Amino acid sequence: MTMGKDNSSSSFSEDAIDPVSFTPNSEAEKALVRKIDKRIVPTIWVLYTLSYLDRSNIGNAKVGGMQADLGFNSNQYSIILLVFFISYVVFEVPMNMTLTRVRPSIYLSILCFVWGAVAACMGAVKSWQSLAGIRFLLGITEAGFAPGIAFYLSSWYKRHELAKRYSLYYTATAVSVSQGICWHCASTNRREKGAFSGLLAGVITDHLHMARGIAGWRWLLIIEGVGSSAAALVTWMILPDWPATTSWLTPEEKFLATQRLTHDGIGNTSDASQPSHMQAVRMAFGDWRTWVLVVMYMLATGSQTIQYFVPTLVKELGYTGYMAQYMTIPIYAVAFVGILVLCFLSDWRKERANYITWAGIIAMISFIVTVASNNDKVKYAFLCFAVGAVYASCPLTLLWVSGIIDHPAEKRAIAIALVNALGNSASIYGSFMWPAEDAPRYISGFAITTVFVFLLAVLAQVNKYANIRWPGKKLDDSFINEKTRESDKASA
């Protein structure tokens, strides 16, 4: 599984393509990007959708009979949910450190196979304690995927090619959540039976209940888990590895794939002198830019915890029963569009900070109008805009990590994982931002998220100015080249 040098490139002479003659945006480069797009983008979208379903289907299983069968209370259910995020956050950095030294096609597929198997095991539990233990393991197996994909994409695409690809991948969150997953609503018993169950979950739990003597909620967990493992048996054959080591690229394409990243100032995994794990950790943790981005991403994901309460907020606007479920769909449709529009514009304009700021301002204004208005239709419309802007701010912020901390590759991998890990800690504290006693206006929740998006908008501009005023080292003055110069001096 360890990434080695691809022997197929040994017949390729560097004289075949002179590095000096590399021309950005040539027809050959465009053809290469189209070739890798066809394999990478749809595959990672499917994997992320499966990942999101396997971590979130517990909400559907609960209302489908899990709670009655296992006999847990709301506090115990909260423990079941939180242990996933604890292991998920803790293991993100070490998992991404591993990815830099292995074949990503195999690594990401193995993660998918294992998390599917672990998720399927939830269908066999006999107590809430064993369910919590399996959820903890699920957090470990999924910890390497989301930050791994962010690093993986940054190792194939130039800075301002990233957002449009990542936005397509990230729309899986809107698609998955729009199926009605809301574990917080389930944990606080603020659901009508079946009102927020996903379409797939409803079909499985209703039509397979007690088939072969197995409860419907168990079938749900088993089928969706096995589905992920089955997908992993195919994805390893589709995904490329690293630009210099992908077997189905020609020698010329491998050279072009690495040269275009170098031209864009991005360190890649084929660099001759990568830092050690501990050196990379010190580099990432010691860079002030990492911590600014950590704060920004925590603000973005903290605001996004509103997704757990959308069904509740819709219900407070007067929609009930299945209509409350249906009325969540336009909200996530706006989120879907918001992600694509702002991310595509960000790549097109080659700008991150301004679009993060615009997303924050749109969300801030929308949250204020949602709280201040007494017209339910106005509230609903601006809730759509707020959720859409918040959803767009998350990928834009995370992708800025690879745009600012671009080399060496191992440092970039650790920085991405650290930002993603601490950002996802919002899932731990976010559930306390919308207490039930604040219904129906939920002023405290809206006030906190409004402050979050305002600070995000401001910090984006502060970070932009700081990086212009105190820029990081260029690739040709990086750790790798410093090590090369030291080696040259020693040999002299």
Side-chain angles (χ1 to χ4, degrees):
M1 186 174 173
T2 303
M3 185 188 72
K5 187 174 181 179
D6 196 324
N7 293 328
S8 64
S9 63
S10 59
S11 62
F12 173 63
S13 171
E14 289 186 359
D15 295 333
I17 299 179
D18 185 356
V20 178
S21 67
F22 171 74
T23 304
N25 302 316
S26 65
E27 287 303 316
E29 183 180 6
K30 292 177 182 177
L32 172 65
V33 172
R34 288 194 296 269
K35 185 174 183 177
I36 61 178
D37 276 346
K38 292 176 182 178
R39 288 177 175 257
I40 292 179
V41 176
T43 306
I44 62 173
W45 190 93
V46 170
L47 288 176
Y48 195 29
T49 301
L50 294 172
S51 166
Y52 220 85
L53 288 176
D54 284 336
R55 78 172 69 170
S56 304
N57 58 13
I58 188 171
N60 294 107
K62 178 180 181 291
V63 298
M66 173 192 282
Q67 184 173 24
D69 289 352
L70 300 185
F72 52 76
N73 57 39
S74 60
N75 289 331
Q76 291 165 340
Y77 184 60
S78 295
I79 295 173
I80 293 169
L81 297 170
L82 290 177
V83 293
F84 169 88
F85 293 105
I86 292 172
S87 59
Y88 187 87
V89 168
V90 169
F91 283 90
E92 283 196 49
V93 171
M95 295 289 271
N96 238 30
M97 291 168 66
T98 302
L99 176 58
T100 63
R101 306 299 173 93
V102 299
R103 291 179 56 188
S105 62
I106 302 297
Y107 179 76
L108 295 173
S109 297
I110 287 177
L111 284 183
C112 181
F113 183 88
V114 174
W115 89 55
V118 172
C121 288
M122 291 193 294
V125 298
K126 302 297 183 182
S127 66
W128 75 269
Q129 292 94 335
S130 58
L131 179 61
I134 293 177
R135 289 279 296 179
F136 184 86
L137 295 177
L138 184 64
I140 296 175
T141 57
E142 288 203 23
F145 182 70
I149 289 296
F151 173 69
Y152 179 55
L153 291 178
S154 73
S155 299
W156 274 101
Y157 295 104
K158 295 190 290 189
R159 285 181 181 84
H160 297 294
E161 295 173 341
L162 268 176
K164 59 175 69 76
R165 274 83 184 178
Y166 194 83
S167 68
L168 292 169
Y169 155 82
Y170 198 76
T171 56
T173 61
V175 171
S176 299
V177 174
S178 67
Q179 295 184 42
I181 307 297
C182 180
W183 58 259
H184 183 272
C185 298
S187 68
T188 53
N189 295 317
R190 288 182 287 153
R191 272 188 175 185
E192 295 184 18
K193 185 177 181 181
F196 305 118
S197 60
L199 176 61
L200 178 61
V203 171
I204 294 174
T205 54
D206 290 345
H207 293 276
L208 290 181
H209 183 60
M210 297 315 296
R212 298 183 179 273
I214 300 174
W217 66 267
R218 294 184 185 274
W219 277 118
L220 170 65
L221 299 173
I222 293 169
I223 289 173
E224 292 190 349
V226 170
S228 296
S229 295
L233 299 177
V234 178
T235 55
W236 71 272
M237 294 183 288
I238 301 173
L239 288 172
D241 290 314
W242 304 116
T245 61
T246 296
S247 60
W248 44 264
L249 290 179
T250 66
E252 290 81 3
E253 288 172 330
K254 291 176 184 178
F255 178 81
L256 181 58
T258 55
Q259 190 67 16
R260 68 194 215 95
L261 295 178
T262 301
H263 184 271
D264 201 43
I266 299 173
N268 60 71
T269 56
S270 64
D271 289 333
S273 303
Q274 283 288 339
S276 68
H277 283 318
M278 288 311 301
Q279 286 173 320
V281 167
R282 288 194 294 269
M283 292 167 72
F285 278 71
D287 193 329
W288 62 268
R289 298 172 299 172
T290 302
W291 297 105
V292 173
L293 290 162
V294 162
V295 174
M296 289 181 61
Y297 198 56
M298 290 182 73
L299 293 171
T301 54
S303 303
Q304 196 179 355
T305 56
I306 192 175
Q307 68 183 344
Y308 302 132
F309 306 90
V310 165
T312 301
L313 297 173
V314 169
K315 187 176 179 182
E316 295 297 346
L317 294 177
Y319 300 101
T320 59
Y322 284 100
M323 184 54 68
Q325 166 70 358
Y326 298 144
M327 292 305 292
T328 64
I329 296 175
I331 295 175
Y332 292 111
V334 173
F336 185 96
V337 173
I339 293 169
L340 294 179
V341 169
L342 288 178
C343 287
F344 271 65
L345 285 173
S346 176
D347 267 4
W348 178 49
R349 301 295 298 176
K350 297 185 178 181
E351 172 63 54
R352 291 283 184 264
N354 291 349
Y355 286 93
I356 296 172
T357 296
W358 276 114
I361 290 173
I362 292 170
M364 179 184 69
I365 294 172
S366 298
F367 282 134
I368 292 172
V369 173
T370 302
V371 173
S373 176
N374 292 317
N375 186 305
D376 287 344
K377 291 183 179 179
V378 172
K379 282 177 173 288
Y380 180 81
F382 278 90
L383 180 62
C384 291
F385 296 141
V387 172
V390 165
Y391 262 77
S393 69
C394 290
L396 287 172
T397 304
L398 184 60
L399 290 178
W400 208 10
V401 181
S402 57
I404 295 176
I405 306 174
D406 44 23
H407 63 273
E410 181 122 358
K411 177 187 177 182
R412 184 172 77 250
I414 293 170
I416 290 172
L418 181 62
V419 171
N420 195 71
L422 295 180
N424 276 289
S425 66
S427 296
I428 298 175
Y429 62 78
S431 61
F432 301 102
M433 289 166 49
W434 305 83
E437 55 269 22
D438 281 0
R441 298 181 71 88
Y442 292 95
I443 292 177
S444 62
F446 280 113
I448 293 171
T449 50
T450 299
V451 172
F452 278 6
V453 293
F454 170 74
L455 291 176
L456 176 63
V458 172
L459 271 179
Q461 295 304 310
V462 171
N463 196 32
K464 178 182 178 180
Y465 171 79
N467 276 276
I468 294 172
R469 179 68 178 82
W470 301 285
K473 290 183 177 181
K474 301 294 184 184
L475 182 60
D476 59 5
D477 194 30
S478 66
F479 169 87
I480 296 169
N481 288 284
E482 287 173 3
K483 294 291 287 185
T484 302
R485 286 194 292 271
E486 290 174 5
S487 177
D488 291 341
K489 289 179 181 178
S491 61

